[in-house]
Amino acid sequence: MNLRYKLFTAFLGLIIIPLFILSMIMFFVTYNSIEKKYSQQSEYSLKAISYSISSVFKDMNNVTDNGIATSVFHMALSAEDSSKQDLTDAEQLSLNASQRNFRSLLYNHPSISYAFLYNFNGKGSSEIVSLFNKENFRTLPYDKFKESELYQEVMSLNGVPKWVAPHENPELTGTDPVFTQIRLVKELSFFQNIGILVVQIKNWEFESIFRNLKIGDSNQKVSFMLVSDKGMILFDPDRKLDGRMFQDFTTKEVSYKKGFQSFKTQFDGNRSIVSMYHLKDYPWSLVSVTSWDSLSREVTVFARWFVFVIFICFLAALTFNLFFMNRITGGIAVIVRFMRRVEDGDLSSRVEEKGNDELTLLAKGFNDLMDKINHLFNRIHLEQRRKNQAEMRVLQAQIKPHFLFNTLESINVLAVQNEGRKVSEMVYRLASILRISIQDRDEITLEDEIKHLRNYLDIQKFRFEDLFDYEIDIPEELNGCGILKLTLQPLVENSIQHGFEGIDYKGKLLIRGWEDQGNLILRIEDNGIGMTSSQLSIFQYMVSDNAHPDEMNELEDPHGSRVHLERRGLGVRSVADRIRIEYGFRYGIFICSSQGSGTIIQCVIPKYGQGEDHNAKSITG
């Protein structure tokens, strides 16, 4: 992706989008805060309505308590002519003092619309005693009323008033939206059940309670209703939902539990907040339904302004990218073009350095980097060429043809002499040597390297029985150390071929090993003829193979004969090159010799287990 688009994307991703996400979080937090605060207001309002409704019911309970206490209902039930007990039609002079007082109380109470008594001792027309008549209303016969569950509940309350809401028992209370009190009437002298009082109160007082109460702002659309525990809407001041099921208007499953609850849902197709408060001592719940749109009007206006501001910020970012970012990215694009030329292989590319800003520093750093890369490429090329030369020397030093031919010739002599056991031993040792030489692994354990060396020395000792003896003194605890294969054998071979050449005494080889400061030290000592200083010069590390022939390819020995490089130091140089390539310049082969005093070859490598990171070991050492 182009840098210009990356910067523009970063501006969007780090500024615009986080700002948008933060605003959305604030928007939803505000929404939830509105819902929470409105729920608290709804709880207070519904509790106030509940208190007002309870006050109306308590007032009516006091009225009927007065009628029972003054025996007005008892006299009406025990009268001979129950049809003359209607306090609405009765003449004032025909009533006794108690009836006149109760009648005045009823007339002065504005809420009562209808009242009658069920007489337990009456028969026929005397079973129902009317106190206040109601037009177009037919009272439920006492026999059918006794069969209802409401009758059993009233009897179980034993005189405590039972309030029935509209539409709960229409066969008893009618279809008008009025509340009805039903209670058992007792004779006070013997507390004998003598009848049941049914009193209905007018609904205008309830309507005034609902209509005069508002929640929050006056512009909010709020509606109240009374709902039974079975989900029926018992009372709606607007008279639109009376008698219908509350669940039909909402998609949320509603439970009518004790206390207060509030939630957001769809009500009658509109997003609304529904708050419910269950009335104490009554199986009803007060419900308020408020339109969510009217509550969130201010937040919606804020959201629109926010979207507008985000749009302006986006246009500003686009303008900044078009007019200012191009100036910054233009200089970077030039450097990028030169870098692509370098990718295509042109390592001579250099960026023009002009100006004094950060882009100039970048161009200067690019040019310096290319100079270093060119230097490193030249160095790597030289190192690779030297490594290839060392690897070629390893191949030449692994198994020499004349050694193999001589060994096979010795085996043939033994076979002719019927020395089967010696033949088997020689073949076994030669096979072990070949196995180590041709395997793909470059690294083996020191134990395997010593086995390979013993096999080689035993074969050479068989061929030159009286030429030399050898001794290997390496502690067993070093056997697990890692080592490049064919490290010791070329060094020992050099001592046998060149150190013991032409001697008139028995040669001695001593191979020792020990650990010193994290390094593995391997030493090969012989008592051979030694070397002159000119012969030691052959073993300089990484001597160019293109050196002058008089210096490298042919050297004068002490007796004046000419010795070829393949016979003087090729194997030792190969080992030295491999060690320094593998482990670094702090390790390698160190030779101490003088003419007629023998030779000491000391090999120093880092001590590590086979398979471990020897680079880290060598740094530690």
Side-chain angles (χ1 to χ4, degrees), residues 212-334:
N212 294 332
L213 184 64
K214 293 291 183 181
I215 303 177
D217 191 358
S218 59
N219 294 325
Q220 295 173 357
K221 297 180 181 179
V222 186
S223 58
F224 296 91
M225 61 192 71
L226 187 69
V227 181
S228 70
D229 289 350
K230 296 181 180 180
M232 177 183 289
I233 301 176
L234 303 175
F235 181 77
D236 177 19
D238 297 329
R239 304 292 178 84
K240 296 179 180 179
L241 306 178
D242 282 353
R244 303 180 66 178
M245 298 302 294
F246 185 82
Q247 193 65 51
D248 295 340
F249 297 94
T250 180
T251 56
K252 181 178 178 62
E253 190 69 27
V254 181
S255 60
Y256 303 93
K257 56 186 179 181
K258 301 292 183 181
F260 177 79
Q261 57 178 318
S262 181
F263 50 86
K264 188 190 299 183
T265 185
Q266 290 283 337
F267 186 84
D268 199 14
N270 299 317
R271 289 189 306 168
S272 306
I273 291 182
V274 177
S275 301
M276 306 179 67
Y277 179 75
H278 197 278
L279 275 69
K280 296 179 180 179
D281 303 325
Y282 303 100
W284 309 322
S285 295
L286 285 170
V287 179
S288 68
V289 180
T290 307
S291 173
W292 177 254
D293 293 335
S294 63
L295 285 175
S296 60
R297 186 180 297 111
E298 294 182 358
V299 180
T300 303
V301 173
F302 168 76
R304 292 174 181 173
W305 275 103
F306 171 73
V307 172
F308 176 74
V309 171
I310 289 294
F311 180 72
I312 295 298
C313 292
F314 179 79
L315 290 180
L318 185 62
T319 303
F320 177 78
N321 184 70
L322 291 177
F323 293 97
F324 297 98
M325 198 62 67
N326 288 339
R327 298 181 181 179
I328 299 175
T329 57
I332 298 177
V334 173

Side-chain angles (χ1 to χ4, degrees), residues 10-28:
F11 182 79
L12 290 180
L14 299 178
I15 299 179
I16 300 298
I17 294 178
L19 180 62
F20 178 77
I21 294 175
L22 179 61
S23 301
M24 291 298 296
I25 293 175
M26 295 178 59
F27 181 75
F28 286 112

Side-chain angles (χ1 to χ4, degrees), residues 166-207:
H167 309 291
E168 282 191 318
N169 294 91
E171 67 279 359
L172 175 65
T173 61
T175 58
D176 294 337
V178 294
F179 289 85
T180 304
Q181 183 197 86
I182 306 175
R183 65 185 301 175
L184 183 66
V185 179
K186 292 179 177 289
E187 193 276 321
L188 296 180
S189 299
F190 302 100
F191 289 98
Q192 182 181 0
N193 298 335
I194 59 176
I196 293 178
L197 173 64
V198 180
V199 178
Q200 288 187 348
I201 59 177
K202 299 176 182 178
N203 62 357
W204 65 269
E205 189 167 359
F206 293 95
E207 292 178 353

Side-chain angles (χ1 to χ4, degrees), residues 55 150 156 200 214 290 312 318 334 372 479 487 502 534 605 616:
S55 298
L150 181 61
S156 64
Q200 288 187 348
K214 293 291 183 181
T290 307
I312 295 298
L318 185 62
V334 173
K372 292 181 180 180
N479 286 342
T487 297
S534 61
I605 63 174

